[in-house]
Amino acid sequence: MSATYLSEVANRTVLVTGGAGLVGSRITAQLVQLGARPRVLCTLDAYPRHTYRDVFGIDPTDPNVIVANIQNPDVVREAVAESDYVIHAAALADVAACTRTPTAAIHTNITGTQVLLDAVAACDRVRRLVFVSSASVYGNGNPEDWARTCEEYRTVRKLLESVYGRVPPQFHEQTPLRPMSVYANTKAWGETQTALTLGAVGTSYTVVRYFSVYGEPQVIKENSHSWVVAWFATRAALGLPLHLNGGGHQVRDLVHVEDIAAATVRALVAPRAHNETVNIGTGTPTSIRTVAELVAERYPGTRFVETPMPPGDPLGGYASTHRMETVLGWRPTITVKDGVARYADWLDKTPEAIPAWLRAESEAATA
């Protein structure tokens, strides 16, 4: 769908916190295509430096890349003062890492967010802030809501149960939040604090709840269970078995990172997105086992191994997309089947995206 309001970002300065990461770098690239002047504020410490440069396309020496911590109020105030719009994507976004080191999650996701919100609230220039949240704030939803859903959609209940082993909940923006992890809890706090801080001074904001992000140029992190498409494809490419946590019955609404970036840029300037909270998803549930099967089609002989569920990993559900389509005038364009194929093709052409520590594991397994 075309969106005439996107011309609003042309020649505007847009601060993207976390703008050197996977999602941030895709957002930055789309802003450049629209004629905006993006500025990146990022610590550049979540990956090896060469990943940012060679895989994500972020040059640390670019004067528009500010290598700094979001918790530094002086740096943040200066960057915000020169910006027309702000996208806040900086976070310790690894669920497992947040669980292992909750204090680190609090420093980045809570303290860092408050530093940014204070700077934006004090700046008359900023037209809107987009706060990047996550569907993890929903947790497993409300079992009573599942029951109502089953009652309302009797005709599809048996089909859903036969495919997923249960009736996965559809999460609406008004669904009560039930975070099950430190990461999810920090995102729920960030949503509320954004509304409190910016609502008090009349600065426009939009909260976007990303469902499961995947797609090239995603690179896996050690000791993480996030980003299932990248994990499965990378392990399969090395001949390693795919770990199906809990048997792979969890459900995710997988959204390609290019669609995620497109939705975020639209949320920045869409007139109807003022002070709204919007799901960013496809509205299609996909089980983890289905993802494994799609990856195995590209890598014949791939083995599956059932493993325990990690702490804080929800059974999941899928997005209600009505508000997204109404508010943004847009919907995602890349299907999971096509997205998995795209990622596998990219990985085959980009062997440097496979980290050395996983190659070592593969070599040890075959020795």
Side-chain angles (χ1 to χ4, degrees), residues 52-70:
Y52 293 104
R53 183 185 62 251
D54 301 333
V55 180
F56 294 164
I58 298 294
D59 180 1
T61 65
D62 186 324
N64 287 314
V65 176
I66 306 166
V67 182
N69 196 305
I70 191 70

Side-chain angles (χ1 to χ4, degrees), residues 98 105-106 109-110 131 133-134 136-138 177-192:
C98 289
I106 290 168
N109 300 0
I110 292 183
F131 176 74
S133 187
S134 163
S136 65
V137 298
Y138 294 122
L177 306 189
R178 291 180 169 81
M180 295 176 57
S181 65
V182 175
Y183 170 69
N185 207 23
T186 64
K187 285 300 182 182
W189 179 90
E191 291 189 14
T192 301

Side-chain angles (χ1 to χ4, degrees), residues 281-302:
T282 65
T284 301
T286 302
S287 73
I288 298 302
R289 184 172 286 273
T290 297
V291 176
E293 291 167 350
L294 288 171
V295 168
E297 289 179 10
R298 298 299 302 256
Y299 301 97
T302 297

